[in-house]
Structure formats: structure tokens, C-alpha cells
Amino acid sequence: MREGMQLPVAAATDESKSTTKSGTMDRKAYWQENLKILSVLLTIWFVVSYGCGILFVDALNSVNLPGTGFPLGFWFAQQGSIYVFVALIFIYVALMNKLDKRYGVEEE
Amino acid sequence: MDVQSWTFLIVGLTFLVYIGIAVWSRAGSTKDFYVAGGGVHPLANGMATAADWMSAASFISMAGIISFAGYDGSVYLMGWTGGYVLLALLLAPYLRKFGKFTVPDFVGDRYYSNAARIVAVICAIVVSFTYVAGQMRGVGVVFSRFLEVDINLGVIIGMVLVFFYAVLGGMKGITYTQVAQYCILIFAFMVPAIFISILLTDTAIPQIGFGANLGGEIGSQIANGETITLLSKLNGLHAELGFTEYTDGSKTMIDVLCITAALMVGTAGLPHVIVRFYTVPKVKDARISAGWALLFIAILYTTAPAVAAFARTNLIEAVSDASYAGGEGEKSIPEWFRNWEDTGLLAWVDKNEDGRVQYLAGAPFAGKKPEFAEGRGASGERLVTNGGLDASANELYIDRDIMVLANPEIAQLPAWVIALVAAGALAAALSTAAGLLLVVSTSISHDLLKSVFMPEISEKNELRAARFAAALAVCIAGLAGIYPPGFVAQVVAIAFGLAASTFFPCIILGIFTRWANREGTIAGMLSGLGFTVAYVVYFKFMGGTPDQLWFGISPEGIGAIGAIVNLLVTATVSRFTPPPPVEVQEMVEEIRIPRGAGTAAAAH
């Protein structure tokens, strides 16, 4: 816990100003990649719930989820979207843990 | 053993477990009391969050609501689960990195303003009290229905119990009792669901039986030799009786969109849910524990719509055109019909005097609930004084809560299962009540006393103040349960609208922008709040009529628009007022990086 008292950038390297500057660059890049992950996952989140479950529900209801008696749009609204939500969070956790490691900002 | 003895036994045992946990996990410091020492395992935190989140309403009423609303009920399913994706991706990790104890802490520090902090405290208290009144009432109702004690006595028993573990254990006590409560409530929900799925579709997994062919003991009788899926049969029955098809909605699309959005954003902004993510040791744990929480919630939330469809099909088949008196060789009403009629949750008026139950679309009586008179009608039914709406031929009133509560009876399950359902409903109500009460007490002792009015207060006195505030909050919540304000059902819409239109935009902008400033957020919160409250109050209390709704958006969904109002106002005002100080901008940079999460809490 004690090392945590230092600034993260400084903790990653004990060298002087020039590396600190590249440290800020890294932070920016890290944040940009984080935002990219967020926008992809939130797009999926939007498509399965608002898209498949609400906006296009009537069109999707004309077919059944293969092998079952669920009209597809109805299934997305009452079952499918929830399964996707759970999966999205676990995918997010995996992606972020990898990203943290790559940029050396994971917790000790 | 009969149902009542089983109920006493099982409910008594679960209460002993809760008390045992409370004694074992007493809080020794304010950190224990507010965030359970910050050392809760993410899996345990996931379970506790799930129990915290799933209230008496999720356990008892949700399947019933969906059962009557069909596709329209999806707004609750998607709204109350989709919010966790927002929470996991946009809030939890950053708030955990920020550290500290509460949502007003974040608002106050990020917007360098005690005024913003106080607005946040007021919102947190209003949202939490709105919710908790309903929970305490729920405890009383479950007690009175299953143990035949007075509702008020039930509320008091619930109060004493929550008092014990919330005041003694704080967040630490609450967290570990909630873990136990989750296990009890999910077991109690799943057992009858699995039995009913087997009876109707011959499939042990309700989520699969939901989309399968009718089969099994009751299902094959309903199918009557045909091979037909449960949902097509149900749609067919609905069409026959004049209801909208079950898999098709009757709400407008924009209303469904807005309600779903308001519930999602509101869920992500509820303080008693957010605060749970401060209890885990690391940012990484905050992310994963949101995943566990949603997984545990999803088990109930994907089962509930299946139960809703099973119960609906079974109900229509069992009562439609059944004779009340039950002559030889006739289809007659099932036994549970009379039992629930006695409780007043079901009522029948024989409008066409044929002695049979006509269950059709439309309201059976004037007014929402039946009013009973002494005496019995021609077939032996209870008399209803507000009966006889001539406009519709529907003769049957069914309270939606019956769907979950009567399921074990309908499926003729053993007595211990019925007792289990009672224990599960109590677990759901108590866990949510405790989580909410903690938010109230923390808001008072930490956000008001320690942060604003008495910064010099010692740790020991702060803990004492927290316990005192918790005790006071339990008493007020209990009073609200004993004398329920008539508008509880209406104000739940306000709770979500408030959370959606105040906290969510304010926290999101605080994390994802550097420019959102003090003036902007205060103006934003107040305008979001004012807009949402005005709309809800106008339509719920001042007699606004449906044709006056803006674009057909119902009060339940207006929080989504309130959140947008908040965003726009914050952005505009922030543009024309000085930017946040450099330290605050640095703080924003800092919470975006996971490393060093221990610091925030240690430096506190």
C-alpha cells in the first residue's frame, strides 16, 4: 500500500523529467484506448437493448429464435439483452486488465 | 407439519443467522461502518450488491407485473439490468479509485463546493427514504400474510432486526448479512420456478421452458393433444379474450425507450448501489464485482419473465369459464381461488349471472381495488360494492402480487416451499432496507457533520453519530411503514427520476470531462431535479391527463429527459463560468488511472 503514496507515473519509473513527459503521453494514450473500449462495448449494449429489444422489435418478432418458440425481438427484450449485459461486463474486465498491464498502470 | 409451523421455523432460522452475522461482524471504526473496512471480496460484494438491489418489489411484484404487461414488462427487465453495464463501465472503477466513502463525497470534492455536496446529500436522503418506506411495509405485509400477525407488528419486528445489524455492524454487518440474504432469496425464488417449469413444459430450466413446447403434467392438459409452444398458446388465449398479444406491447415506442433509459440511468445513479463499490480493495475488484452483481441479479431477472408467462398461461386456463360453485362434471375454479379471495387480492363479480368466471380484457370494477361487503353472492362469492362496470364484460380482479406468492400453491408444492418463499421475500425486503438506511445515516454523520458542520469531530464521536443517525433512520422508516403515505407507489417513479436526473450526469461529467465546474453542476442538478419533479408531480398528484403527456412520455420515463436537461445546463453554464481549479483537473486525471487506489482511502 505504501508505494501507492507516490504518483503513479513516478512509481513506474524513477528517472527524471523526460520520462515523466512520456509518462503523460502514455496516460493520454491509455485513456484514449479506454474510451475506445467503452464506445465499442456501449454500442453493443445499445444495439441489443434499445435496438433489438425496442426499436426493431416488431421486425425481429417475425422470426423465432432458432430451435425455440421465442419471437426473436421478444427474446432480446426479456432474455437475450440480459445475457449480453452480463457478458459485456466480464469482457470489459478482461480487456481493461490487459490494457492496465500493457501501460503498466495496474495495481500492485 | 403445516405451512405456518414451517414458516415460523424457516423464518426464525434465517433471522438467527442474520443476528449471528451481526454479532460476528461488529464495526470497530468509521471505515468499517461506512465501507466495511474496504476489504470485501469482489464475489461477496457482488452477492451483497445483488441482495441490496433486489427489493421486495423485485421478488414479489416484478413477475406479476410482467405477467399482466407481457412485452411492456421488458422495460423493467432491461432497465434494471442494463444500468449495471453503465455502472461497471462508467462509474464503479473511477469512484473506487477516488476512494472516500460516499457519493456526496465525490460530488463535493470534484466540484470543490459544499453547496454541491449538500444538494447531493439531500437527493441521496430523499431517494433512499422514498425507497425504504416501501420496504418496511413489504416486511409487514409478508409477516401478516404468512404468519398471521398484525402488519404493524410485522413492521416492528423488521425494524428491530434491521436496527440490530445496521446499527451494530454498519456496512460490515450489512454486507455479510446481505450475502446470506442473497442465498436465501435466490433459492426461494428458483425452487418454485423450477417446479412450475417442469409442470408446464417438462423442462427443469425456466429460461428454456419459457420458449419450449407445452408438456408435463399441467402443460399437456393445456395443450390438449396439440404440439404448441407455450408462448403461441398464450398469445392465442390473449387474442381469444381480447387482450393485446403477450409478446406484443401496448405502450408507445418512445415511452418504452424513455422508461428503459430512465430506469437504466436511475439504477446507475442510486447511492445505495454505488456505495457498495467503495467496499472492495482495488479498482480491478470494483470492475469485476459489478460483473458478479449483475450475474447474480440476472439469475432472478431471467427467471422472472419465465415465471410470468407460466403463471399467466396457467391462470387463464384455470379460471376462464370455470364455475364458481363447482357442480358435477363441470370445470370449476381451483382451490387457491377461494383462499386468495379471502385475502382480498382476488375478487369476482358475476355480471351475467351464469355462475362462471369470465376473465376478459378491461377493468372489472370502478376504481383500482375491490371494496368488499359483508355476505356472499348467489354462487357463494364475496360481495364487491364497487362492482358492475357495465362497459366491460370482465368479471375478475386479480392482484399482480398473487403471481409469485400463490405459485407454490398453484403448483401444489410442499408446505416447506411456501415457507421458503416467505423467508425469501423477507430477505429481499430487509437487505434493501438496510442498505438504504446506511446511506441515510452516512449522509448525515459523514457528509453533513464531518464534511460540512463539524470537521474537527473525532473518529469515535463520528462513529457514535453514525450509529445514532442509523437508529433514527430505522425509526422514521418504521413509522413510514406503519403509517404508509398513500403515495408510496407514485413516489418510486420520483426516486428513479431523481437519481437519473441528478447523480448520473453529475458523476459522469465529473469523471469524463475536466471542464465541468461547480456553477455548472449545481445549476444542472437543480434544473434536472426541478424539471423531473415538476413533471411527475403534475401527472401524479395534480390530475394531469394522459393526453397532456409530452410526446406520450409517462412520468416513469421522464427521468431520462431530466438527465439530458441536466447535461445541457451543466455544459452551457460551465462554458460561461471559470473552469475548475488546477488541483481539481489533476484529480480528474488521477482517478482515470487504476494504480494507487489504496492511496485515496489511506490519505483520508
Side-chain angles (χ1 to χ4, degrees):
Chain A
M1 279 299 169
R2 279 290 109 174
E3 307 96 295
M5 294 300 283
Q6 290 164 288
L7 275 180
V9 187
T13 161
D14 45 351
E15 279 169 54
S16 61
K17 275 182 185 170
S18 61
T19 29
T20 314
K21 199 176 176 194
S22 83
T24 5
M25 295 290 286
D26 278 355
R27 279 186 167 207
K28 225 175 211 161
Y30 169 80
W31 186 244
Q32 287 307 321
E33 286 211 37
N34 178 8
L35 293 182
K36 210 186 304 164
I37 292 175
L38 289 184
S39 51
V40 171
L41 295 179
L42 287 178
T43 308
I44 300 174
W45 167 83
F46 184 85
V47 169
V48 293
S49 53
Y50 295 93
C52 302
I54 302 177
L55 293 169
F56 303 111
V57 69
D58 291 332
L60 291 176
N61 274 345
S62 60
V63 289
N64 276 4
L65 182 72
T68 71
F70 287 114
L72 191 57
F74 178 78
W75 180 78
F76 266 109
Q78 300 213 335
Q79 299 272 300
S81 57
I82 303 176
Y83 299 138
V84 177
F85 293 157
V86 175
L88 281 177
I89 299 185
F90 283 99
I91 293 169
Y92 167 75
V93 173
L95 290 177
M96 287 307 286
N97 286 346
K98 236 165 77 190
L99 187 70
D100 288 354
K101 277 220 181 75
R102 197 140 57 77
Y103 281 85
V105 293
E106 81 274 22
E107 297 144 290
E108 292 82 19
Chain B
M1 244 167 41
D2 66 343
V3 175
Q4 198 155 345
S5 326
W6 270 112
T7 312
F8 272 114
L9 183 72
I10 295 184
V11 169
L13 278 179
T14 58
F15 279 21
L16 274 182
V17 170
Y18 305 154
I19 291 173
I21 294 172
V23 173
W24 165 75
S25 60
R26 285 183 312 276
S29 67
T30 49
K31 200 175 174 201
D32 277 352
F33 195 90
Y34 297 142
V35 294
V40 178
H41 189 276
L43 192 69
N45 189 47
M47 273 193 198
T49 311
D52 203 339
W53 171 238
M54 292 191 285
S55 58
S58 290
F59 189 91
I60 301 172
S61 309
M62 195 174 65
I65 293 174
I66 299 167
S67 198
F68 286 89
Y71 166 79
D72 286 340
S74 316
V75 296
Y76 302 108
L77 295 167
M78 287 189 286
W80 285 338
T81 53
Y84 276 85
V85 178
L86 297 177
L87 196 59
L89 271 56
L90 303 177
L91 304 178
Y94 307 107
L95 290 175
R96 176 61 197 89
K97 174 66 198 297
F98 169 72
K100 304 253 181 132
F101 299 140
T102 66
V103 176
D105 258 342
F106 176 81
V107 176
D109 286 7
R110 167 63 182 81
Y111 294 104
Y112 46 99
S113 151
N114 273 342
R117 190 189 305 267
I118 289 171
V119 174
V121 169
I122 293 170
C123 292
I125 292 178
V126 172
V127 170
S128 304
F129 262 126
T130 312
Y131 237 89
V132 84
Q135 301 305 321
M136 291 316 257
R137 188 75 188 164
V139 172
V141 170
V142 172
F143 264 104
S144 77
R145 204 166 295 161
F146 289 92
L147 295 170
E148 287 170 28
V149 298
D150 186 49
I151 289 192
N152 293 346
L153 183 63
V155 173
I156 292 169
I157 297 173
M159 268 169 69
V160 171
L161 192 66
V162 172
F163 188 90
F164 197 72
Y165 66 76
V167 174
L168 200 64
M171 188 57 130
K172 204 169 163 198
I174 288 173
T175 302
Y176 294 107
T177 12
Q178 280 172 339
V179 171
Q181 282 161 335
Y182 175 77
C183 298
I184 291 163
L185 83 86
I186 201 69
F187 187 63
F189 196 83
M190 294 308 291
V191 169
I194 289 170
F195 273 111
I196 290 173
S197 183
I198 293 174
L199 285 172
L200 263 88
T201 62
D202 209 13
T203 312
I205 302 168
Q207 286 86 342
I208 294 176
F210 190 14
N213 287 334
L214 283 167
E217 207 177 303
I218 302 178
S220 23
Q221 285 171 27
I222 297 175
N224 207 5
E226 240 182 312
T227 307
I228 184 168
T229 64
L230 175 99
L231 285 169
S232 348
K233 180 72 190 178
L234 183 51
N235 276 340
L237 288 172
H238 266 219
E240 228 171 88
L241 302 176
F243 294 99
T244 322
E245 280 202 355
Y246 190 80
T247 55
D248 221 0
S250 51
K251 282 193 163 87
T252 62
M253 188 179 284
I254 183 153
D255 201 20
V256 172
L257 274 176
C258 282
I259 297 178
T260 308
L263 295 178
M264 281 190 184
V265 174
T267 299
L270 283 177
H272 71 288
V273 176
I274 294 179
V275 74
R276 293 233 47 99
F277 295 96
Y278 288 111
T279 64
V280 292
K282 290 177 177 181
V283 172
K284 210 170 128 185
D285 300 329
R287 290 181 191 143
I288 192 85
S289 84
W292 291 123
L294 184 58
L295 179 67
F296 292 133
I297 292 168
I299 297 174
L300 192 144
Y301 272 59
T302 52
T303 307
V307 170
F310 296 150
R312 183 77 184 158
T313 314
N314 191 37
L315 172 87
I316 295 178
E317 276 294 324
V319 303
S320 197
D321 257 339
S323 150
Y324 190 95
E328 271 301 309
E330 279 186 300
K331 177 182 175 186
S332 53
I333 54 158
E335 241 184 72
W336 51 262
F337 194 100
R338 287 196 180 79
N339 296 344
W340 288 95
E341 192 184 7
D342 289 340
T343 63
L345 290 180
L346 189 149
W348 174 60
V349 189
D350 195 4
K351 289 181 187 170
N352 59 358
E353 295 171 353
D354 67 347
R356 291 167 179 282
V357 178
Q358 266 82 43
Y359 181 45
L360 302 163
F365 333 110
K368 276 199 170 154
K369 304 228 165 199
E371 283 152 30
F372 293 97
E374 287 295 312
R376 295 278 169 172
S379 305
E381 78 276 14
R382 287 183 76 183
L383 287 176
V384 176
T385 51
N386 54 348
L389 253 196
D390 291 331
S392 99
N394 180 23
E395 303 181 339
L396 187 65
Y397 164 83
I398 309 167
D399 191 285
R400 42 196 194 191
D401 288 356
I402 290 183
M403 291 298 186
V404 167
L405 296 176
N407 260 341
E409 272 174 84
I410 294 172
Q412 296 174 334
L413 300 181
W416 63 269
V417 178
I418 301 173
L420 197 62
V421 171
L426 284 171
L430 289 170
S431 56
T432 308
L436 290 162
L437 289 168
L438 192 81
V439 168
V440 174
S441 80
T442 311
S443 297
I444 295 171
S445 66
H446 179 74
D447 297 322
L448 286 183
L449 275 185
K450 170 85 181 173
S451 302
V452 180
F453 296 115
M454 296 167 68
E456 302 304 316
I457 190 171
S458 72
E459 155 96 14
K460 218 171 154 193
N461 280 336
E462 192 188 342
L463 185 58
R464 212 169 276 158
R467 288 209 159 104
F468 181 74
L472 192 72
V474 172
C475 294
I476 298 175
L479 279 179
I482 292 172
Y483 306 103
F487 49 84
V488 166
Q490 279 95 320
V491 287
V492 170
I494 303 183
F496 275 92
L498 273 182
S501 61
T502 55
F503 291 131
F504 186 77
C506 159
I507 300 173
I508 289 288
L509 289 175
I511 295 165
F512 287 86
T513 76
R514 268 182 302 253
W515 48 255
N517 66 8
R518 173 178 61 196
E519 291 79 5
T521 207
I522 293 175
M525 277 208 277
L526 290 178
S527 51
L529 181 75
F531 171 81
T532 307
V533 170
Y535 195 86
V536 175
V537 167
Y538 180 72
F539 285 103
K540 292 282 187 184
F541 299 109
M542 291 169 51
T545 51
D547 56 290
Q548 292 171 315
L549 292 172
W550 289 355
F551 308 108
I553 300 171
S554 50
E556 285 76 14
I558 201 65
I561 311 294
I564 296 172
V565 169
N566 181 337
L567 274 178
L568 293 178
V569 171
T570 309
T572 316
V573 174
S574 295
R575 224 190 123 86
F576 295 106
T577 43
V582 185
E583 317 85 84
V584 169
Q585 300 197 27
E586 274 168 6
M587 184 190 112
V588 175
E589 290 288 326
E590 204 51 46
I591 57 175
R592 294 176 177 181
I593 307 290
R595 176 162 290 185
T599 329
H604 184 75

